[in-house]
mmCIF file of all heavy atoms in Angstrom:
data_model
loop_
_atom_site.group_PDB
_atom_site.id
_atom_site.type_symbol
_atom_site.label_atom_id
_atom_site.label_comp_id
_atom_site.label_asym_id
_atom_site.label_seq_id
_atom_site.Cartn_x
_atom_site.Cartn_y
_atom_site.Cartn_z
ATOM 1 N N ALA A 84 5.754 6.035 -5.689
ATOM 2 C CA ALA A 84 5.189 7.304 -5.227
ATOM 3 C C ALA A 84 6.147 8.001 -4.269
ATOM 4 O O ALA A 84 6.327 9.226 -4.336
ATOM 5 C CB ALA A 84 3.842 7.060 -4.546
ATOM 6 N N GLU A 85 6.793 7.232 -3.392
ATOM 7 C CA GLU A 85 7.763 7.810 -2.453
ATOM 8 C C GLU A 85 8.958 8.396 -3.205
ATOM 9 O O GLU A 85 9.426 9.496 -2.897
ATOM 10 C CB GLU A 85 8.226 6.736 -1.477
ATOM 11 C CG GLU A 85 9.163 7.220 -0.404
ATOM 12 C CD GLU A 85 9.572 6.100 0.541
ATOM 13 O OE1 GLU A 85 8.716 5.271 0.892
ATOM 14 O OE2 GLU A 85 10.761 6.060 0.914
ATOM 15 N N ARG A 86 9.433 7.683 -4.207
ATOM 16 C CA ARG A 86 10.562 8.185 -4.998
ATOM 17 C C ARG A 86 10.166 9.432 -5.782
ATOM 18 O O ARG A 86 10.949 10.379 -5.878
ATOM 19 C CB ARG A 86 11.073 7.105 -5.940
ATOM 20 C CG ARG A 86 11.831 6.030 -5.224
ATOM 21 C CD ARG A 86 12.340 4.972 -6.160
ATOM 22 N NE ARG A 86 12.940 3.896 -5.384
ATOM 23 C CZ ARG A 86 13.413 2.789 -5.907
ATOM 24 N NH1 ARG A 86 13.365 2.606 -7.216
ATOM 25 N NH2 ARG A 86 13.943 1.859 -5.137
ATOM 26 N N ASP A 87 8.957 9.444 -6.346
ATOM 27 C CA ASP A 87 8.493 10.620 -7.084
ATOM 28 C C ASP A 87 8.415 11.847 -6.173
ATOM 29 O O ASP A 87 8.804 12.947 -6.571
ATOM 30 C CB ASP A 87 7.131 10.357 -7.725
ATOM 31 C CG ASP A 87 7.217 9.419 -8.931
ATOM 32 O OD1 ASP A 87 8.344 9.160 -9.407
ATOM 33 O OD2 ASP A 87 6.146 8.949 -9.375
ATOM 34 N N ALA A 88 7.922 11.642 -4.947
ATOM 35 C CA ALA A 88 7.840 12.756 -3.996
ATOM 36 C C ALA A 88 9.245 13.241 -3.635
ATOM 37 O O ALA A 88 9.494 14.449 -3.555
ATOM 38 C CB ALA A 88 7.084 12.326 -2.745
ATOM 39 N N ARG A 89 10.166 12.319 -3.440
ATOM 40 C CA ARG A 89 11.543 12.700 -3.106
ATOM 41 C C ARG A 89 12.187 13.451 -4.274
ATOM 42 O O ARG A 89 12.872 14.459 -4.072
ATOM 43 C CB ARG A 89 12.357 11.441 -2.767
ATOM 44 C CG ARG A 89 13.790 11.678 -2.452
ATOM 45 C CD ARG A 89 13.954 12.261 -1.079
ATOM 46 N NE ARG A 89 15.384 12.344 -0.781
ATOM 47 C CZ ARG A 89 15.926 13.377 -0.191
ATOM 48 N NH1 ARG A 89 15.185 14.380 0.223
ATOM 49 N NH2 ARG A 89 17.208 13.408 0.041
ATOM 50 N N ILE A 90 11.957 13.003 -5.494
ATOM 51 C CA ILE A 90 12.501 13.691 -6.672
ATOM 52 C C ILE A 90 11.911 15.093 -6.778
ATOM 53 O O ILE A 90 12.632 16.063 -7.055
ATOM 54 C CB ILE A 90 12.232 12.867 -7.952
ATOM 55 C CG1 ILE A 90 13.109 11.611 -7.960
ATOM 56 C CG2 ILE A 90 12.472 13.700 -9.208
ATOM 57 C CD1 ILE A 90 12.744 10.604 -9.046
ATOM 58 N N ALA A 91 10.611 15.228 -6.535
ATOM 59 C CA ALA A 91 9.973 16.546 -6.595
ATOM 60 C C ALA A 91 10.564 17.474 -5.536
ATOM 61 O O ALA A 91 10.834 18.655 -5.812
ATOM 62 C CB ALA A 91 8.465 16.412 -6.410
ATOM 63 N N ASP A 92 10.802 16.959 -4.323
ATOM 64 C CA ASP A 92 11.423 17.772 -3.266
ATOM 65 C C ASP A 92 12.825 18.221 -3.668
ATOM 66 O O ASP A 92 13.203 19.388 -3.474
ATOM 67 C CB ASP A 92 11.497 16.987 -1.951
ATOM 68 C CG ASP A 92 10.130 16.766 -1.320
ATOM 69 O OD1 ASP A 92 9.173 17.458 -1.729
ATOM 70 O OD2 ASP A 92 10.031 15.902 -0.430
ATOM 71 N N LEU A 93 13.599 17.295 -4.214
ATOM 72 C CA LEU A 93 14.972 17.638 -4.612
ATOM 73 C C LEU A 93 14.984 18.638 -5.762
ATOM 74 O O LEU A 93 15.822 19.551 -5.786
ATOM 75 C CB LEU A 93 15.741 16.364 -4.993
ATOM 76 C CG LEU A 93 16.041 15.404 -3.843
ATOM 77 C CD1 LEU A 93 16.639 14.101 -4.377
ATOM 78 C CD2 LEU A 93 16.988 16.049 -2.838
ATOM 79 N N GLU A 94 14.066 18.488 -6.720
ATOM 80 C CA GLU A 94 14.000 19.436 -7.834
ATOM 81 C C GLU A 94 13.580 20.819 -7.341
ATOM 82 O O GLU A 94 14.104 21.834 -7.810
ATOM 83 C CB GLU A 94 13.042 18.928 -8.908
ATOM 84 C CG GLU A 94 13.618 17.773 -9.714
ATOM 85 C CD GLU A 94 12.642 17.208 -10.731
ATOM 86 O OE1 GLU A 94 11.407 17.473 -10.628
ATOM 87 O OE2 GLU A 94 13.104 16.484 -11.632
#
Side-chain angles (χ1 to χ4, degrees):
E85 184 179 320
R86 287 180 186 176
D87 287 348
R89 178 75 174 138
I90 289 169
D92 290 345
L93 292 172
E94 286 177 343

